[in-house]
Amino acid sequence: DVFEFHEAFAGQILANLKALDSDWYAQNQMGRKAKFGAPDMSKFNLWGGSLSIGHPFAATGVRLVQTAAKRLVKEDGQFAVVAACAAGGLGHAMVVERYP
């Protein structure tokens, strides 16, 4: 229902979205028969992202989860995917579920 990604390195996000929507990449790099598909961009960082809202050092994850939670309530969604990069090529992602 909601996607909140930290896009401080926006080129990397765009490359990943393109890879998710590529049959060639899925077959040759992921061992899948078909592409996974890119997320619905009408649900992606709708209130802005780290480049427009801000990238508070050591608090980016909190900002992402807080924005996702508020969007779930306002947009009456159930699930959010939150993802961020970290130093040295690391990253994390999680699914947040809204409870009534």
Side-chain angles (χ1 to χ4, degrees):
D1 300 313
V2 168
F3 293 92
E4 284 296 326
F5 283 24
H6 170 58
E7 82 297 31
F9 303 101
Q12 182 63 50
I13 294 289
L14 294 174
N16 290 340
L17 294 175
K18 186 172 182 177
L20 285 172
D21 207 28
S22 165
D23 281 319
W24 182 92
Y25 188 85
Q27 293 163 3
N28 295 290
Q29 300 296 321
M30 298 173 69
R32 295 177 52 97
K33 292 181 181 178
K35 65 184 177 183
F36 184 81
D40 181 352
M41 295 308 286
S42 70
K43 298 180 179 188
F44 195 89
N45 286 9
L46 288 188
W47 295 359
S50 298
L51 296 176
S52 61
I53 294 174
H55 174 28
F57 188 69
T60 299
V62 172
R63 192 210 43 86
L64 288 166
V65 172
Q66 178 184 14
T67 302
K70 287 181 178 182
R71 281 188 56 202
L72 285 174
V73 171
K74 184 166 179 121
E75 299 169 23
D76 196 29
Q78 183 177 2
F79 294 104
V81 176
V82 177
C85 61
L90 301 174
H92 72 272
M94 69 175 166
V95 175
V96 176
E97 183 176 8
R98 175 185 170 204
Y99 286 96

